[in-house]
């Protein structure tokens, strides 16, 4: 009986030892964490969207001694010459910039050049208050083919891949305006033109998402104000030249831009995510 009990005890102890050895040999490998996207670096990209803009061309004249217009006509020309042009078009172009990531903040400098496509015209006609039924007509047209911006960006990371930002800086475009005045009294004609590279301002907001391997996609809104530019002329012809009659033509241009884009960032360190 004693021999039987010793045999059973030996078998039990051996089995326990094997199980303990098996348990000691088992372990779990720590999961490999994916690296976080790092926003620091130089990038290039392209964008496409739409612009919805307005221009407010204006034509005025003066009432000097021995000039062509009556005082009431000068007032009427100023009212009729205050016009409004709306324009909408597809816009698109190329972007380049550089970001610096500091913890959850991302600071950047970005520039772009785009097809702008602003174009429109307006025509108003009215009766001379002094001289009915004679009328006068003012034609205006405004266009801007391209737009460039140089902007700072200040953003924060909602997640390592989601960047939300505000942006603002300079907006640059060549603004062109053409103006023509005619009447049925003499008849009279006058014209003026503007072609000026304007430096205005822009501001907006946007979001950018890093999809990996240096690529990111973005959507943003920009408001653009190019200010007002003017020109004067003394080329009124009413039977004969009327050099004493001065006209002033001016135009401003503002636009709202919504666009989406894709960027590719070159190099830059990768930060491990823990």
């Amino acid at each position: 009986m004693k021999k039987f009990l010793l045999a059973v005890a030996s078998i039990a102890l051996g089995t326990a030892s094997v199980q303990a050895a098996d348990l000691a040999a088992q372990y779990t490998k720590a999961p490999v964490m994916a690296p976080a996207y790092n926003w620091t670096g130089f990038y290039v990209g392209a964008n496409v969207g739409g612009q919805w803009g307005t221009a407010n061309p204006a034509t005025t004249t003066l009432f000097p001694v021995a000039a062509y217009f009556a005082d009431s006509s000068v007032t009427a020309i100023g009212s009729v010459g205050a016009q409004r042009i709306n324009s909408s078009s597809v816009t698109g172009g190329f972007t380049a910039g550089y970001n610096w990531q500091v913890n959850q903040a991302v600071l950047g400098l970005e520039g772009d050049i785009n097809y702008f496509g602003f174009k429109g015209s307006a025509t108003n006609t009215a009766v001379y208050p002094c001289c009915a039924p004679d009328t006068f007509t003012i034609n205006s047209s405004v266009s801007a083919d391209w737009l460039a911006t140089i902007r700072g960006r200040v953003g924060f990371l909602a997640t390592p891949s989601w960047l939300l930002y505000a942006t603002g800086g300079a907006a640059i475009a060549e603004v062109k305006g053409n103006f023509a005045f005619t009447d049925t009294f003499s008849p009279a004609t006058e014209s003026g033109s503007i072609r000026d590279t304007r430096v205005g301002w822009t501001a907006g907001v946007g979001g950018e998402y890093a999809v990996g391997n240096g690529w990111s996609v973005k959507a943003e809104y920009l408001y653009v104000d190019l200010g007002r530019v003017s020109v004067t002329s003394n080329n009124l012809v009413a039977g004969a030249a009327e050099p004493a009659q001065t006209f002033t033509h001016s135009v401003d241009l503002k636009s709202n831009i919504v666009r989406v884009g894709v960027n590719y960032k070159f190099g830059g360190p990768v930060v491990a995510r823990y």
Side-chain angles (χ1 to χ4, degrees), residues 74-264:
V74 170
T75 303
I77 288 169
S79 296
V80 172
Q83 301 175 336
R84 184 178 180 86
I85 295 172
N86 296 317
S87 172
S88 61
S89 65
V90 173
T91 180
F94 301 98
T95 302
Y98 192 91
N99 285 326
W100 295 266
Q101 180 178 344
V102 183
N103 298 322
Q104 299 303 109
V106 177
L107 308 177
L109 181 65
E110 182 173 281
D112 57 57
I113 185 163
N114 287 261
Y115 170 74
F116 192 33
F118 187 101
K119 187 175 184 179
S121 60
T123 300
N124 288 343
T125 298
V127 176
Y128 276 126
C130 66
C131 311
D134 288 303
T135 63
F136 65 93
T137 299
I138 298 174
N139 295 290
S140 305
S141 65
V142 180
S143 65
D145 296 329
W146 57 269
L147 173 71
T149 72
I150 302 173
R151 295 172 285 108
R153 296 204 312 173
V154 178
F156 74 94
L157 295 173
T159 72
S161 297
W162 266 112
L163 172 64
L164 303 177
Y165 62 87
T167 183
I172 307 162
E174 184 181 54
V175 177
K176 293 175 281 188
N178 290 288
F179 306 84
F181 171 89
T182 59
D183 75 8
T184 61
F185 185 78
S186 292
T189 61
E190 182 274 342
S191 63
S193 63
I194 292 171
R195 186 167 186 167
D196 187 60
T197 300
R198 302 293 301 158
V199 179
W201 62 272
T202 182
V205 294
E208 189 168 352
Y209 182 74
V211 297
N213 296 321
W215 291 97
S216 62
V217 293
K218 71 175 183 179
E220 68 183 3
Y221 163 79
L222 294 177
Y223 176 78
V224 173
D225 187 340
L226 294 170
R228 181 168 288 273
V229 60
S230 62
V231 65
T232 61
S233 74
N234 296 86
N235 62 10
L236 178 70
V237 175
E242 299 280 351
Q245 191 68 56
T246 300
F247 277 76
T248 299
H249 304 287
S250 65
V251 64
D252 68 354
L253 196 158
K254 302 178 178 67
S255 184
N256 297 278
I257 299 172
V258 177
R259 61 191 185 185
V260 295
V262 58
N263 291 334
Y264 178 77

Side-chain angles (χ1 to χ4, degrees), residues 15-40:
T15 303
S17 298
V18 171
Q19 290 176 343
D22 289 342
L23 289 173
Q26 293 179 359
Y27 64 92
T28 301
K29 185 178 181 181
V32 177
M33 303 300 290
Y37 186 84
N38 187 280
W39 291 84
T40 296

